[in-house]
Amino acid sequence: MMKKARLEFDAKQDEILEDWLSTLPDDILVNIISRLNLDEAARTSVLSSRWKYLWTFITSLDFDDSELLKSVSEDTIVEERASYINWVNKVLELHRGLSVNEFIISFDLDASHGSTITNWIHTAISKRVQKFELNLLPALCWPPPPGIYTFSQECYDNLKSPHGLSCIKNLRSIYFDTVNVTGEILEFFIYNCPYLDELRVGRSDNLLRLKVVGSLTQLKCLDIDCCSNLEELEISCSSLLSFKYYGPKIKYNIKNVPRLDDVAIGGGTEGHGIGAERVLGPIVSYFPQLKTLELHVDVSEENIQFPQCELPQLRHLTFIVSAHHCNSLLGLTRMMNSCPILQKLTLKLEVFNYCKEITRPPFPNDCHRHLKLVELIGFSGHRVELQLAVYFFGTANVLEEMHIEVEPWEYKLDANIHAARRRAEKLEQVLPPRVKLVIN
């Protein structure tokens, strides 16, 4: 009897140990492997002879190694670049898939690696990529000593060929960072990729003008960041949902954006935003339809003039705050009174220094009835910031959480960070019972 039970148990164990996964069709297995990172996907080749080459058909070619850049130095960067290039080339040499969903390059490379980067672009396009990212942001200095990689005429000519046009039809998302690309090339993508709904461009010196106009344009998200030579931007796009611009003052014209509900506007000392010599331009007329809004605010001026408009749909308001001298942040709350259903407020603090004396302007009638979450990012623990935190404890009667990210913008020394954390923890003493304080 015991022997029979043992045999039945062994049979069940064999059934459990049977490799049901390998009985699935190849296309399903490739889909599963594509959800792993490249190193993990490659390691599946040792499972069995059937798995040996499955990973070479994966549809996600994500070469994002930007995390490594946090630890590189001038002594190691040359070796790390060579290692990165070798890794990408080796994977592409082995890859057998005819199409990919995403092709992502993210590492510190420059114009001296031009031919290699150009070959990668050719490969991505030939594999009918849907999401393409080329992020070459330097880790050590700006600009890169040999210069920024320029999207080559060779690449552009290839795109305009019948074969190139057929290959880019599936493109849905494009991101260029630290890549010199002209408005002509970007407009080519916009008007020849029927499914393109996201375009992001950062740190391109060659971008002077850009026009996103036309009933055939399906773009939903446009993000332009730190393109220092940009002069003019024209947008007339009924499909646009999100527009983000960070950079110098430019001439821009925005119209026919009935679905726009997410806007971010900011810049450096001579950029767009709110404060001394800053402008918002025609985008203000679309504020009443927004659900999320991010603004760069210079609080150096005593009297900040916020736009005179209501924001009845706004759920999330973000301020990027900069100042050379600041004695109160409570002035920022004036705009919140135009946001009757605001649920989340984020403040990214980039304040150079605070005044020794703080002011206490009265706000007796303020009541933020729907505000549930406040985020303070770049918190240093100065009395000006503590005053603002306590203000929300008293005026936001449904506040549920306050998140504080402790990393003083001016200096990131460990001693300063520890001191800021201790000051943040003191807020527990005046914290209403209903509010949760989260300190990172």
Side-chain angles (χ1 to χ4, degrees), residues 113 230 285 337 347 374 400 406:
H113 310 101
L230 184 64
S285 62
N337 294 324
L347 287 97
V374 173
E400 297 175 355
V406 176

Side-chain angles (χ1 to χ4, degrees), residues 24-40:
L24 296 173
D26 285 357
D27 57 341
I28 294 180
L29 292 179
V30 170
N31 185 282
I32 294 172
I33 298 172
S34 295
R35 300 172 191 273
L36 305 174
N37 66 44
L38 279 170
D39 289 338
E40 293 169 340

Side-chain angles (χ1 to χ4, degrees), residues 149-376:
Y149 170 78
T150 297
F151 195 95
S152 69
Q153 185 65 39
E154 176 190 351
C155 281
Y156 188 30
D157 290 341
N158 180 54
L159 289 174
K160 292 186 290 184
S161 69
H163 176 70
L165 286 169
S166 67
C167 286
I168 63 173
K169 293 298 183 184
N170 293 325
L171 262 172
R172 295 178 179 273
S173 174
I174 299 175
Y175 176 32
F176 292 126
D177 197 327
T178 320
V179 176
N180 275 332
V181 59
T182 65
E184 179 185 355
I185 293 173
L186 294 177
E187 290 172 15
F188 176 85
F189 281 115
I190 291 170
Y191 301 128
N192 288 280
C193 302
Y195 302 110
L196 186 68
D197 57 25
E198 181 181 34
L199 176 63
R200 294 186 293 153
V201 185
R203 283 157 284 273
S204 171
D205 292 338
N206 288 6
L207 182 58
L208 306 180
R209 296 173 185 82
L210 182 63
K211 183 180 293 188
V212 184
V213 176
S215 58
L216 298 180
T217 303
Q218 298 301 311
L219 205 64
K220 293 182 175 63
C221 302
L222 177 63
D223 187 344
I224 300 176
D225 184 21
C226 298
C227 295
S228 57
N229 294 323
L230 184 64
E231 299 172 354
E232 188 174 347
L233 176 63
E234 182 178 353
I235 300 174
S236 178
C237 180
S238 60
S239 61
L240 196 67
L241 301 175
S242 175
F243 170 60
K244 300 181 180 181
Y245 175 78
Y246 191 93
K249 292 179 185 177
I250 58 171
K251 176 184 177 182
Y252 69 100
N253 180 25
I254 299 179
K255 59 184 179 181
N256 187 30
V257 286
R259 301 176 63 192
L260 184 68
D261 63 15
D262 174 30
V263 165
I265 296 289
T269 55
E270 297 182 357
H272 291 272
I274 295 175
E277 298 183 1
R278 291 173 178 272
V279 292
L280 287 173
I283 195 69
V284 172
S285 62
Y286 293 95
F287 275 20
Q289 69 189 51
L290 301 183
K291 294 180 180 178
T292 59
L293 173 63
E294 177 176 293
L295 291 174
H296 192 146
V297 183
D298 186 346
V299 296
S300 300
E301 294 291 300
E302 291 185 5
N303 298 313
I304 303 173
Q305 297 298 317
F306 291 102
Q308 298 297 312
C309 65
E310 295 296 314
L311 294 98
Q313 306 297 323
L314 201 70
R315 270 77 165 174
H316 183 192
L317 176 62
T318 298
F319 288 130
I320 303 174
V321 184
S322 64
H324 292 283
H325 296 283
C326 178
N327 56 17
S328 178
L329 293 172
L330 291 179
L332 297 173
T333 63
R334 293 173 188 153
M335 189 169 176
M336 294 174 59
N337 294 324
S338 300
C339 313
I341 63 172
L342 188 69
Q343 298 175 14
K344 180 179 178 181
L345 175 71
T346 301
L347 287 97
K348 301 176 181 178
L349 303 173
E350 299 181 354
V351 181
F352 291 95
N353 55 66
Y354 292 103
C355 297
K356 292 182 179 180
E357 298 296 326
I358 68 173
T359 59
R360 293 178 171 82
F363 293 92
N365 300 319
D366 284 3
C367 184
H368 308 296
R369 300 181 184 277
H370 297 274
L371 188 63
K372 295 181 179 181
L373 173 61
V374 173
E375 295 178 323
L376 301 178

